[in-house]
Amino acid sequence: MKPSIYITRRLPKTVIESLNQEFQVEMWEKEDVPVPRDVLLEKVSGASALITMLSDGVDTELLEHAKELKVVANLAVGYDNIDLEAAKQNGVVICNTPDVLTDTTADLTFGLLMAAARRIVEADRYIKEGKWKSWSPLLLSGADIHHKTIGIVGMGSIGEAVAKRAKGFDMDILYHNRSRKPEAEERLGASYVSLDELLVQSDFVVVLAPLTSETEGLFQKEQFQAMKKSAFFINAARGAIVNEEALTEALKTGEIAGAGLDVFVKEPIDPDHPLLSLENVVALPHIASSSTETRIGMMNLCVQNIQAVLKGDKPKTQVT
């Protein structure tokens, strides 16, 4: 019997062609609907490998059903949907897709910053809804980006890539991270500061930190009150890093000027969520890495990791 692989979302046939040649492959065929939990638990029972999405919880319950499982390839750089300790105890290799998505995510993050500051989405709606009747000096006037201060919370590879883009806009670059990065400071002209100092000084606070026990709920009412009233909050990391009620209140009361959000605590977000009713919020459906080239690259990396593990080799991007 060939080893069995289960893929939790429909991927292009060209991506999985090499897997089909060597293994028994089954795939959830609904592209925009997550695989139901009961189906996943059933399918994993005989699987040697999984390709998972962020919406798939790989926890103790799943691993107890997965007696043959050797590797999980998560189609993301983050892996907060996976219980790493349980996977280790069960001898399951966990892989992710770092590096391949760095520049694409940085492009989107900086684009989100620009869209929020310059009211681009609001202006698009304005003209399409037939509201543009004349030119006026302050029509939909936004905030400048050049020569402002950007504060990056989480200076990993994506944070560094965003800082590189900010440098092109002649921005002053501050960052807060678990550890200092002297090489990045020298190369990018970035300055390491405490989180409190970053919040006070930044015109744009950009969150790119991983979701951990230390970062969960990091942004509360006090953090937004510390920011400039003219500042913008950008989150392209994980929704749970932010108290969304506190953010909503800060935006409503003018504690901060606006927000650009690619992630939310609950995804998909409820269309009636208060954040989505605010004109000073640009909201995106978790698409930071979603260029065709990058997503295909991420898929190919998942395939390569699975092939390596099932053949007894070391995977390219092993988490644990």
Side-chain angles (χ1 to χ4, degrees):
M1 287 286 290
K2 294 181 179 179
S4 172
I5 299 169
Y6 188 70
I7 305 171
T8 66
R9 201 67 60 88
R10 190 175 68 187
L11 303 183
K13 288 183 170 56
T14 52
V15 170
I16 64 170
E17 185 176 0
S18 61
L19 290 178
N20 280 319
Q21 292 173 2
E22 301 178 90
F23 309 107
Q24 182 179 337
V25 180
E26 188 175 358
M27 182 164 58
W28 177 250
E29 289 291 340
K30 296 182 180 179
E31 186 174 9
D32 297 321
V33 180
V35 58
R37 181 68 174 180
D38 59 335
V39 173
L40 179 56
L41 293 178
E42 176 191 345
K43 297 298 183 182
V44 78
S45 62
S48 298
L50 287 178
I51 294 181
T52 54
M53 313 296 134
L54 277 175
S55 53
D56 304 316
V58 179
D59 52 17
T60 301
E61 180 190 33
L62 181 140
L63 292 167
E64 286 176 350
H65 282 74
K67 303 304 182 184
E68 306 297 323
L69 192 62
K70 293 181 174 60
V71 57
V72 174
N74 207 41
L75 190 73
V77 65
Y79 41 83
D80 44 277
N81 58 312
I82 298 175
D83 187 330
L84 296 183
E85 185 57 35
K88 185 177 181 180
Q89 291 175 2
N90 285 272
V92 177
V93 174
I94 304 299
C95 302
N96 64 341
T97 58
D99 303 328
V100 65
L101 52 68
T102 296
D103 282 320
T104 300
T105 301
D107 286 348
L108 189 284
T109 302
F110 207 83
L112 192 52
L113 180 155
M114 295 180 69
R118 294 301 305 273
R119 303 173 67 179
I120 291 172
V121 176
E122 188 181 351
D124 176 77
R125 287 198 301 265
Y126 186 87
I127 193 171
K128 288 179 178 178
E129 292 171 0
K131 295 178 180 179
W132 189 23
K133 304 302 180 184
S134 67
W135 185 92
S136 60
L138 291 175
L139 175 64
L140 290 161
S141 60
D144 277 336
I145 298 158
H146 60 275
H147 299 139
K148 296 291 185 70
T149 297
I150 185 172
I152 300 172
V153 181
M155 196 67 153
S157 59
I158 297 171
E160 289 189 30
V162 169
K164 181 180 177 181
R165 285 150 179 77
K167 189 176 181 181
F169 280 73
D170 293 320
M171 300 181 82
D172 292 326
I173 303 166
L174 307 179
Y175 78 97
H176 180 73
N177 202 50
R178 285 180 297 182
S179 57
R180 290 191 66 164
K181 307 186 79 170
E183 187 276 332
E185 291 176 21
E186 183 176 350
R187 176 167 45 86
L188 299 167
S191 299
Y192 177 82
V193 294
S194 68
L195 179 60
D196 289 343
E197 189 175 351
L198 182 148
L199 295 175
V200 170
Q201 293 190 31
S202 298
D203 298 297
F204 298 92
V205 174
V206 180
V207 182
L208 291 164
L211 178 60
T212 66
S213 57
E214 289 80 17
T215 62
E216 185 172 5
L218 180 62
F219 281 84
Q220 301 288 337
K221 179 179 180 180
E222 295 75 18
Q223 281 67 46
F224 295 118
Q225 288 178 332
M227 291 169 60
K228 297 178 181 180
K229 291 188 181 298
S230 58
F232 291 82
F233 179 77
I234 312 298
N235 188 6
R238 289 292 183 270
I241 294 174
V242 183
N243 180 329
E244 289 180 343
E245 290 184 7
L247 174 59
T248 301
E249 188 64 18
L251 290 161
K252 282 183 175 179
T253 60
E255 286 287 351
I256 61 174
L261 308 171
D262 185 48
V263 290
F264 302 90
V265 173
K266 182 181 179 182
E267 297 180 357
I269 189 172
D270 186 336
D272 295 324
H273 195 290
L275 280 170
L276 302 188
S277 68
L278 303 177
E279 288 288 357
N280 56 348
V281 172
V282 177
L284 303 178
H286 204 148
I287 58 169
S289 65
S290 188
S291 72
T292 301
E293 299 95 329
T294 291
R295 287 287 171 88
I296 294 296
M298 293 165 67
M299 294 172 195
N300 285 332
L301 183 52
C302 286
V303 167
Q304 291 162 13
N305 281 327
I306 283 177
Q307 288 173 323
V309 173
L310 294 186
K311 292 177 180 180
D313 298 326
K314 184 175 176 59
K316 288 189 173 184
T317 53
Q318 180 173 348
V319 176
T320 183

